[in-house]
Amino acid sequence: GKSEEQSMVTPAVPSNIKMRRCGYCMVKQPMRARHCQLCQHCVRRYDHHCPWIENCVGEKNHPLFIVYLSVQLVVLLWAWYIAWSGLYFEQSWDWLQHNIFLIVSFLLIVIFTIFVLLLLISHLYLVSCNTTSWEFMSHHRISYLKQSDLENPFDQGVILNLWRFFC
């Protein structure tokens, strides 16, 4: 018998869902695990393979990935502030020639800031729903989600999802 806390953390698997064996590693995969083709190993609670950190984001490093995105955002906002403070607008061709590098840098910083902000918001939303990027994008292909009665069998409410993820 499972304890009450264990049954709250791990949703019951429907009886018609069989545990899978990884076709590459030959390891018995628990729910939410997936084999990463780029890393060549299985990852528990697989979220995605991130080209920025050259590694998979999964059960053990997903909170650190959120911290990484937050730090990236702070650094980009700081760079945005510094680039903006260096711009003194004048309407002359000579001014534009001397400040073109700063203007291009400022525009790149704005683009990267928007990208990182959207990525952080989307990951925080998925964390609050207790779902992974892989589950969100491939809901229709994952056996334990296709055959579940609930839309997301892992969702336990926003507060509890965030508490379990970060704590």
Side-chain angles (χ1 to χ4, degrees), residues 69-85 105-106 108-118 120:
L69 288 177
S70 302
V71 169
Q72 285 268 331
L73 184 62
V74 167
V75 168
L76 284 166
L77 289 172
W78 180 53
W80 179 85
Y81 172 75
I82 289 172
W84 182 260
S85 66
S105 299
F106 178 76
L108 283 173
I109 290 169
V110 168
I111 291 169
F112 288 137
T113 302
I114 291 169
F115 181 74
V116 170
L117 179 65
L118 291 174
L120 179 62

Side-chain angles (χ1 to χ4, degrees), residues 17-147:
I17 295 176
K18 296 185 174 138
M19 290 292 282
R20 298 178 307 146
R21 235 180 233 289
C22 176
Y24 301 97
C25 302
M26 293 304 174
V27 174
K28 204 170 193 180
Q29 286 183 336
M31 281 195 320
R32 306 184 94 175
R34 182 170 184 261
H35 185 86
C36 177
Q37 297 292 333
L38 298 169
C39 294
Q40 293 299 316
H41 60 80
C42 289
V43 179
R44 287 180 60 99
R45 199 176 181 278
Y46 177 84
D47 191 81
H48 69 284
H49 184 89
C50 180
W52 287 4
I53 61 173
E54 193 83 25
N55 200 4
C56 286
V57 175
E59 183 177 63
K60 298 200 181 219
N61 65 351
H62 199 176
L64 292 174
F65 181 72
I66 300 292
V67 170
Y68 169 74
L69 288 177
S70 302
V71 169
Q72 285 268 331
L73 184 62
V74 167
V75 168
L76 284 166
L77 289 172
W78 180 53
W80 179 85
Y81 172 75
I82 289 172
W84 182 260
S85 66
L87 289 174
Y88 297 104
F89 296 102
E90 295 176 13
Q91 293 189 2
S92 70
W93 181 250
D94 189 44
W95 177 87
L96 184 62
Q97 285 179 327
H98 286 95
N99 290 308
I100 191 70
F101 180 72
L102 188 59
I103 292 169
V104 170
S105 299
F106 178 76
L107 292 175
L108 283 173
I109 290 169
V110 168
I111 291 169
F112 288 137
T113 302
I114 291 169
F115 181 74
V116 170
L117 179 65
L118 291 174
L119 195 58
L120 179 62
I121 289 170
S122 68
H123 272 276
L124 288 174
Y125 169 74
L126 291 174
V127 165
S128 71
C129 296
N130 196 8
T131 190
T132 65
S133 300
W134 170 249
E135 291 168 346
F136 182 75
M137 298 299 288
S138 302
H139 190 273
H140 59 283
R141 297 188 311 181
I142 301 173
S143 61
Y144 59 84
L145 293 176
K146 268 195 310 192
Q147 298 171 5

